[in-house]
Amino acid sequence: MANTTTATTTGVGELRHLDPATLVIDTNIRTTTALTKEFIASVGDGIRLPVLAVETGTDILVRDGQRRTLAAIEAGLATIPVYIVPADDTNDDKAATAARIIDQMVANTHRTNLTRRDEVTAIEQLALAGLSATKISKSVRTSKKQVDHALATASSASALEAFETHGELTLEQAATLAQYDDDPDATARLLAGAAQGRFEHVAQHLADTAAERALVRTAIAEYAEQGIAATGNRPAYNGQAQPLTRLADAEGNAVEDIEQVKAPYRLAYVSVEFEDYYTDAQGNRVDEDLIDWSLDEDDPDATPQDGLLDMRSLTRTEDTAVATQWYVTDPDAAGLQARTYGHGSAGADPMPTDAEIDAKKEADRAARRQTIALNKKAEAALQVRREKIAEYLSRKTLPKGAIGQVAEFLAATMWNNHDLFGYSRQDGNAQALTRQFLGGGEPGEAMAGASAERRHIVNLAIAIGAHEADMPKSAWRETDRSYTAHRATYLKMLVAVFGYTLSDVEEVICGDSTADEVPLD
């Protein structure tokens, strides 16, 4: 197609509408063009900003706008706007090269993309102008899901402000933040998770514990109405605030009642405690000592020991209740001291004092709270991890340079942990998980007609399904056993190959931290 030159001359330049296929892409400081389908589709709707070019004796050279020009060719545009300036009047090749580079740097260096907040505000304005989410999506060439996220974010002041302080936030993450506008603690946790690369883990845990957190917030609000300081976050173990049970008065007497503490130093730590109990077919509560806990639940032929009950025939119920543990924010200022424990008299096997019995009970309750909290975190991590795995295994090729690491992982699994491939139990079935990760089909079906690279991923899916079958929520408690070491190897493979970010409870499984270092809240 011939060039058309119906245009406007402005200053020393001239605006023309030209066939992009007739333009010559000049040497450019930008080394990659990265023409995405979305960009080509956007250009296909028309170029709003003219490309910059210089005219030599025979050619029109594109100095700025090579991506727009190439995308216009791909999109089949007949003409595009081109702003043409005269070529530098010099016979000095170095000077000409310098002029070209300066033009390209000036045109690109100081550009500023729309911020996430700008993007959200613009989409909101389009919606206020009467455009539906679908129409907005088609008009600005983005997914409807992104538009929905933007509209959900637009009404949240805290989410919009987070864009200013946490530049790494995506629209999807901001939409999640918007759900917690009335929960500053949840917002703080999500933002901290985003900074650590654990946003999805934190979001899932918050969703899983929404009912419990609502109970805690209600209790904290009730304390606030009474003028009592309260928190849903456990004070640090070695921090200034100390539990009332660890304190004594100036004479060394145990402080039994919070009323003995001056009001300004009282702090209520509010949490939710859980109680599991079992009932029989008639609804009668069963003494746990009468249950055969050693029974293999996955063995249909297993029978309970004489005189004991089969837990599979019972109904498990989990009760929740709000509990308050009192703390003293500044024991010294409150006139209190650390409580000491000791036996009243010597003996080979002295009886524990009441204080020691109370301390033991509190330690048992703390251990139970930790188990429940970390199990819940492990369940949230499992859900996030498996969603990520399904995403990873949908790829056509492995990440660049990962083939060697994958080969080592597959070899180690087949040699050391081949029994995992046959795992089939209530909380994990290797074959079912593999099918899930492959979109529902059998590995053989996924192999049919697939490229060699894709077949590597299918093989990896089989091994991942096997390892996932052996990742119970209690895995964080079993890190000191030789036969569970493969769990850490597996999780570290996900990190090395796919860039997966471990949750705090998964770091415990890998041996990178301890259970006591994981926040329970």
Side-chain angles (χ1 to χ4, degrees):
M1 182 181 294
N3 287 350
T4 59
T5 59
T6 55
T8 304
T9 300
T10 306
V12 297
E14 182 181 14
L15 182 63
R16 305 180 193 174
H17 290 272
L18 307 175
D19 177 358
T22 65
L23 303 176
V24 176
I25 304 297
D26 202 354
T27 304
N28 202 294
I29 59 173
R30 188 190 295 274
T31 57
T32 59
T33 53
L35 300 180
T36 63
K37 290 187 293 185
E38 293 79 10
F39 181 69
I40 293 171
S42 175
V43 168
D45 290 335
I47 292 180
R48 274 80 168 174
L49 183 65
V51 302
L52 175 66
V54 295
E55 188 169 21
T56 65
T58 56
D59 297 317
I60 295 178
L61 306 178
V62 175
R63 280 202 170 169
D64 177 59
Q66 62 169 334
R67 292 181 69 240
R68 280 168 285 161
T69 302
L70 294 173
I73 295 172
E74 289 287 330
L77 293 184
T79 63
I80 62 172
V82 183
Y83 186 67
I84 302 174
V85 295
D88 297 304
D89 186 14
T90 178
N91 293 321
D92 186 339
D93 290 342
K94 289 185 177 179
T97 297
R100 171 185 59 77
I101 292 173
I102 290 170
D103 276 349
Q104 291 170 348
M105 289 191 68
V106 168
N108 289 279
T109 301
H110 301 293
R111 287 181 179 174
T112 303
N113 291 329
L114 287 176
T115 65
R116 289 291 190 193
R117 186 166 188 161
D118 293 337
E119 187 178 347
V120 167
T121 301
I123 289 176
E124 180 188 29
Q125 290 172 347
L126 290 173
L128 293 174
L131 275 67
S132 67
T134 301
K135 179 64 174 176
I136 295 172
S137 170
K138 291 180 178 179
S139 300
V140 301
R141 298 293 179 177
T142 191
S143 70
K144 183 176 178 298
K145 182 182 291 187
Q146 286 291 85
V147 174
D148 290 338
H149 291 327
L151 293 176
T153 302
S155 60
S156 168
S158 60
L160 291 174
E161 289 172 5
F163 283 134
E164 308 298 329
T165 56
H166 294 71
E168 74 278 4
L169 278 184
T170 66
L171 283 179
E172 182 176 5
Q173 291 172 339
T176 300
L177 269 178
Q179 299 174 23
Y180 296 98
D181 258 357
D182 61 342
D183 190 345
D185 178 64
T187 298
R189 293 188 197 185
L190 286 166
L191 291 176
Q196 298 168 343
R198 293 175 174 168
F199 187 95
E200 291 86 352
H201 289 295
V202 176
Q204 187 62 54
H205 183 250
L206 288 173
D208 291 347
T209 57
E212 298 97 282
R213 290 186 303 100
L215 291 174
V216 169
R217 289 201 306 276
T218 299
I220 289 174
E222 291 172 353
Y223 277 124
E225 291 177 0
Q226 302 171 42
I228 298 174
T231 179
N233 298 316
R234 177 188 293 277
Y237 182 82
N238 291 319
Q240 185 177 38
Q242 289 295 304
L244 185 67
T245 54
R246 294 186 194 157
L247 299 174
D249 62 19
E251 287 73 39
N253 301 311
V255 182
E256 305 288 354
D257 194 328
I258 193 63
E259 294 297 328
Q260 296 175 250
V261 179
K262 298 174 184 177
Y265 304 110
R266 300 174 189 170
L267 175 65
Y269 163 54
V270 182
S271 63
V272 173
E273 292 195 342
F274 300 85
E275 180 188 12
D276 293 346
Y277 64 88
Y278 290 82
T279 55
D280 59 22
Q282 289 72 44
N284 301 312
R285 191 158 177 167
V286 175
D287 186 338
E288 294 190 5
D289 290 336
L290 298 178
I291 301 174
D292 185 358
W293 299 105
S294 65
L295 192 69
D296 184 354
E297 297 178 57
D298 299 317
D299 183 358
D301 298 323
T303 57
Q305 300 177 36
D306 290 342
L308 297 180
L309 300 173
D310 187 338
M311 67 178 301
R312 295 172 297 187
S313 67
L314 306 175
T315 300
R316 176 180 173 274
T317 301
E318 185 178 80
D319 266 354
T320 59
V322 174
T324 296
Q325 183 179 6
W326 288 103
Y327 277 73
V328 178
T329 56
D330 190 340
D332 291 339
L336 303 177
Q337 60 179 327
R339 188 174 176 179
T340 58
Y341 301 94
H343 297 295
S345 60
D349 188 18
M351 294 293 292
T353 65
D354 289 343
E356 289 174 321
I357 293 173
D358 290 342
K360 176 65 166 60
K361 288 180 179 179
E362 174 55 33
D364 290 343
R365 284 194 293 268
R368 178 168 174 75
R369 282 194 294 267
Q370 181 187 63
T371 297
I372 292 172
L374 266 64
N375 279 351
K376 286 184 175 292
K377 286 199 168 192
E379 289 172 339
L382 180 145
Q383 185 166 335
V384 171
R385 186 176 67 248
R386 290 185 179 175
E387 289 175 358
K388 292 286 188 182
I389 287 169
E391 179 184 323
Y392 299 151
L393 297 178
S394 67
R395 300 169 58 108
K396 294 181 180 179
T397 62
L398 289 168
K400 187 176 180 180
I403 187 67
Q405 292 170 302
V406 169
E408 289 179 11
F409 170 71
L410 292 176
T413 300
M414 289 186 289
W415 187 257
N416 300 317
N417 311 112
H418 51 83
D419 57 312
L420 298 181
F421 292 106
Y423 260 40
S424 178
R425 59 189 191 188
Q426 187 175 2
D427 59 350
N429 181 296
Q431 292 189 3
L433 286 166
T434 297
R435 285 192 291 268
Q436 176 185 324
F437 295 145
L438 292 175
E442 299 285 336
E445 297 171 358
M447 290 275 193
S451 66
E453 281 282 354
R454 176 61 187 163
R455 292 182 181 189
H456 285 311
I457 292 177
V458 174
N459 283 332
L460 180 58
I462 297 172
I464 286 178
H467 280 274
E468 280 294 319
D470 186 42
M471 289 291 285
K473 65 183 179 183
S474 60
W476 62 272
R477 303 176 67 184
E478 303 167 347
T479 58
D480 58 342
R481 306 173 188 180
S482 60
Y483 61 83
T484 61
H486 62 275
R487 293 171 179 167
T489 301
Y490 162 59
L491 290 176
K492 290 178 179 179
M493 182 279 296
L494 293 180
V495 174
V497 172
F498 296 108
Y500 176 70
T501 301
L502 297 172
S503 68
D504 46 14
V505 76
E506 288 169 329
E507 286 190 340
V508 176
I509 298 172
C510 288
D512 296 333
S513 65
T514 66
D516 291 337
E517 294 177 275
V518 179
L520 303 187
D521 308 306

